[in-house]
Amino acid sequence: MRKYLLLTATLLFSAPAFAWVPKLEETTAKNVLDGVYGRRDPVTTYQTLDLSVKDGKFVAGDGLVRAFDGGDACVSDWIANPADFSKGSRVNSITVSGQADQLYFQGQDARDSFKNLSVADALNADYTAKRLADGELRVDINVRGLPTQKARDAYLVRMKGPGDKMIAPSRKSFVNDFKQDGATWSGTLVFYFKPLDAGIGASDKAELLLRTEADTSCAYDITLNLGNFQ
């Protein structure tokens, strides 16, 4: 997996307003490819929340993780004991992306093969078929502390739409990075959602609801900002 790097403050302040792009069009495709080939500053094509704990709080910031079920003690215990897996595994990070991020990888592959990927080619059927479907959002959840590899199947994830509607993922998969570390397992789960179908806008803040594999009442509400990337 690509290492997700934080943008510099300069780039953050100079970047235009973003919104997740459910379907790639010429302008976004050109901006992404121009960034890949060094013709402009890179476009932000993903959002990563670092949910590791440092100095008594989540690195991603305060207020992004709340208790959806089980009470505030679920979150306070996570912060106080991030390496204690006796009550369930912990989430290391959550990364949200769409078609633009997958185009970034396609452009990078073409560049590294000494080829030029044009906007017209990037939007043709051959390349489009290898990216997410229109309107689909990818959510990568990196976890650690699973008691078994099988336990990854027990993760329960939803998005909360308008009117508190629960939105189930359209599909799920796993990254080929699962490994055993002592008595526990770590790796990345992938869930795909269709937010627009549930009334969530492309630049809205969305709430991701998450239960780990643990047999407890604890469930978490995590804020994702679809306006932070394209």
Side-chain angles (χ1 to χ4, degrees), residues 75-223:
V75 177
S76 60
D77 183 67
W78 181 354
I79 293 173
N81 304 287
D84 178 7
F85 308 127
S86 62
K87 297 179 181 179
S89 58
R90 303 294 192 192
V91 177
N92 282 330
S93 65
I94 298 176
T95 298
V96 193
S97 61
Q99 290 185 356
D101 196 53
Q102 297 194 324
L103 175 59
Y104 170 91
F105 286 111
Q106 291 175 329
Q108 191 176 57
D109 287 343
R111 183 200 65 193
D112 292 348
S113 299
F114 204 66
K115 298 176 183 178
N116 181 64
L117 178 58
S118 69
V119 171
D121 286 342
L123 295 179
N124 71 25
D126 288 342
Y127 277 92
T128 298
K130 296 174 183 176
R131 296 194 293 263
L132 293 176
D134 292 348
E136 203 166 50
L137 187 72
R138 173 172 170 153
V139 180
D140 287 47
I141 303 175
N142 182 261
V143 305
R144 62 193 178 103
L146 287 165
T148 64
Q149 188 174 17
K150 171 63 179 172
R152 65 188 185 179
D153 290 318
Y155 257 71
L156 189 61
V157 180
R158 296 288 187 269
M159 273 193 177
K160 188 164 73 171
D164 292 339
K165 179 181 178 181
M166 295 281 190
I167 308 164
S170 55
R171 56 194 174 100
K172 72 175 183 178
S173 62
F174 305 103
V175 175
N176 188 28
D177 65 345
F178 275 86
K179 61 183 180 180
Q180 190 170 14
D181 182 13
T184 63
W185 288 76
S186 63
T188 306
L189 304 85
V190 185
F191 297 87
Y192 301 87
F193 291 90
K194 295 182 177 180
L196 300 184
D197 292 351
I200 298 175
S203 61
D204 289 351
K205 289 184 177 179
E207 294 179 58
L208 188 74
L209 308 180
L210 183 151
R211 290 185 186 274
T212 73
E213 83 294 342
D215 183 12
T216 73
S217 61
C218 287
Y220 306 95
D221 184 327
I222 301 166
T223 302

